[in-house]
Amino acid sequence: MTGERTVHIVGAGLSGLAAALSLSGAGRKVVVHEAAPQAGGRCRSYDDMVIYRRIDNGNHLIVSANPHALTYLDEVGARAEMLEVTPAHYDFVDLRSGDRWTLDIPTPFRPWSWFGGMPPGTGRWGLLKDIARLLRAGPDDSLDSVLGSSTAWETLWRPLGVSALNTEAETASAVLFAATVRATILKGERASRPLVAKRGLGEAFVDPALRVLADRAAEVRFGSRVRALTDDTDWVVATAPAAARELLPDDVPELEARPILNAHFRVRSTAEDVVFRAMVGGLSEWVFHRDDVVSITISAAQRFLGVPADEMLSRLWREARVALDLEDDVPLAQRLLVEKRATFAQTPAQLGRRPGPGTSRAHVVLAGDYTDTGLPATIEGSIASGRRAAERLLGQI
């Protein structure tokens, strides 16, 4: 299985690129097939012809506790493309009351010093009790059933949980969210620092990876749709689950999906650095201001899929203005993007259906944030899945 045959990778999203980097770094000849005209999948940048700016197709945040993402950035020489917020803190704004606060996380983690900042109306010990309940959650528990009675539910846990898992709080897996809290907050400030792309996801994660792969003589074929997997070839199937299921119906289960809605506004105000805010009490969870573009995100957005675009843009613009204290009355241009199948539904039932990297065919492995990495369907999960798939094909696991 680990001979010198060429490895063909289906999909040039982050999981496919991560697998290609691992395999080419191990000396394997690699060919990447991407049906779209560009790489990056759901983590890409492009020149938008509506707002006439280069934008990311969605907003993504990684943290310093993401070893796979940081190792990937180091391998492709792009760590400098990320703005690391240190010491770790997260600015919140309540869109209903106008209250603002900063969530600070100390290092090392000490209950008596946590937090320097916290949501209004909550207390240090109450938040610690919340975390204790979360860490005791069982495999069938939802986020709402574990933390829904907390005084910090609406101002902290619900928006963080929904954005981390892209699943409504009533059904989102408490265990999966607990894994995120365990890897960040409980490890203190150094593990909790947010990192955002200074210029864009393409400049940080995609373009540098393509350059490294080109230097290693790996081939990336755009507009190349694979419709069947030949038996005399090693394959990494690194597509979205629906596309993977078409190729491997016996190995990839049907998984429920959840949408993400992103709005982008070109504005007069220019941010010197990337500014981002967490929001509560509104439709959205995060807003980013990079250069003269403001981007805002709604996770688990299925309830808004039937709302007219103009109405959504109007409502989201009002939230962005409040959160960022923008003086612009109206945006210069605006754009609404909907990813109907952005991630799989990260519920207890769906987590039990996640496949591993192996398949029923010895020469075929799976990669993708929907596979069983033990992580949410995020950048970190995507990259981790690509690394694991490569290790499986190389006979390392």
Side-chain angles (χ1 to χ4, degrees):
M1 179 175 175
T2 59
E4 296 305 316
R5 294 190 302 183
T6 298
V7 181
H8 289 259
I9 299 174
V10 187
L14 287 191
S15 58
L17 293 176
L21 288 168
S22 291
L23 290 163
S24 62
R28 296 294 297 271
K29 180 174 175 55
V30 170
V31 177
V32 182
H33 301 265
E34 172 54 57
Q38 73 285 317
R42 289 168 292 149
C43 182
R44 68 183 186 277
S45 304
Y46 69 98
D47 296 319
D48 186 80
M49 293 296 102
V50 174
I51 69 169
Y52 293 101
R53 288 295 183 272
R54 186 165 176 80
I55 62 174
D56 295 336
N57 68 313
N59 297 316
H60 293 270
L61 186 75
I62 67 171
V63 295
S64 49
N66 290 159
H68 295 286
L70 296 181
T71 300
Y72 176 105
L73 289 167
D74 289 337
E75 182 176 359
V76 301
R79 178 76 79 100
E81 287 288 341
M82 304 300 291
L83 173 67
E84 182 174 355
V85 178
T86 179
H89 68 273
Y90 297 81
D91 294 328
F92 280 73
V93 57
D94 191 323
L95 298 169
R96 300 160 301 188
S97 65
D99 289 338
R100 295 171 185 267
W101 67 91
T102 299
L103 186 66
D104 297 317
I105 302 169
T107 189
F109 179 80
R110 294 190 180 100
W112 53 88
S113 64
W114 184 64
F115 287 96
M118 64 184 67
T122 64
R124 179 182 298 115
W125 296 110
L127 291 174
L128 289 170
K129 290 178 182 178
D130 290 345
I131 288 183
R133 287 199 302 272
L134 184 63
L135 297 181
R136 293 195 302 268
D140 296 327
D141 289 334
S142 70
L143 196 58
D144 177 79
S145 68
V146 174
L147 294 177
S149 61
S150 166
T151 56
W153 173 245
E154 290 293 340
T155 54
L156 182 65
W157 299 125
R158 191 196 69 79
L160 287 185
V162 170
S163 60
L165 303 184
N166 190 39
T167 304
E168 59 282 358
E170 293 76 14
T171 61
S173 167
V175 168
L176 196 56
F177 184 60
T180 300
V181 171
R182 189 179 288 111
T184 54
I185 292 174
L186 293 187
K187 289 190 175 180
E189 184 272 336
R190 291 183 180 178
S192 303
R193 297 172 183 173
L195 290 91
V196 293
K198 295 177 183 177
R199 293 191 294 167
L201 297 172
E203 288 80 359
F205 288 95
V206 181
D207 298 341
L210 293 176
R211 288 194 291 269
V212 170
L213 291 173
D215 290 342
R216 296 177 180 174
E219 184 180 355
V220 181
R221 301 175 182 173
F222 296 112
S224 176
R225 184 178 296 278
V226 174
R227 302 188 183 279
L229 306 178
T230 55
D231 289 333
D232 59 347
T233 305
D234 289 342
W235 293 94
V236 179
V237 178
T239 68
R245 183 170 168 77
E246 292 181 5
L247 294 171
L248 296 163
D250 295 331
D251 296 294
V252 181
E254 275 193 71
L255 293 172
E256 295 178 17
R258 291 293 184 269
I260 290 179
L261 187 151
N262 291 285
H264 302 275
F265 304 96
R266 181 158 57 89
V267 299
R268 294 179 178 84
S269 308
T270 301
E272 293 184 6
D273 292 316
V274 183
V275 176
F276 62 96
R277 300 277 186 275
M279 297 180 292
V280 302
L283 305 182
S284 46
E285 291 84 33
W286 293 96
V287 63
F288 294 77
H289 189 183
R290 180 191 292 121
D291 297 325
D292 61 349
V293 174
V294 169
S295 301
I296 195 166
T297 297
I298 301 177
S299 301
Q302 56 270 26
R303 63 197 185 281
F304 298 116
L305 292 182
V307 179
D310 288 347
E311 179 181 341
M312 287 304 306
L313 287 166
S314 177
R315 295 169 70 178
L316 293 176
W317 171 245
R318 289 196 296 270
E319 294 189 1
R321 285 192 67 205
V322 171
L324 296 172
D325 291 319
L326 296 174
E327 296 181 357
D328 308 55
D329 291 328
V330 294
L332 299 175
Q334 57 188 7
R335 176 78 144 121
L336 188 71
L337 299 174
V338 179
E339 284 192 84
K340 291 185 178 180
R341 303 182 65 85
T343 68
F344 79 101
Q346 295 169 82
T347 67
Q350 294 295 292
L351 291 184
R353 295 174 61 80
R354 297 176 87 174
T359 71
S360 58
R361 300 168 69 172
H363 61 289
V364 180
V365 294
L366 294 173
D369 60 14
Y370 70 95
T371 61
D372 190 10
T373 60
L375 300 169
T378 58
I379 286 176
E380 176 73 358
S382 292
I383 294 172
S385 76
R387 299 296 198 193
R388 291 179 70 226
E391 290 170 0
R392 176 94 177 195
L393 203 60
L394 293 168
Q396 296 172 356
I397 58 172

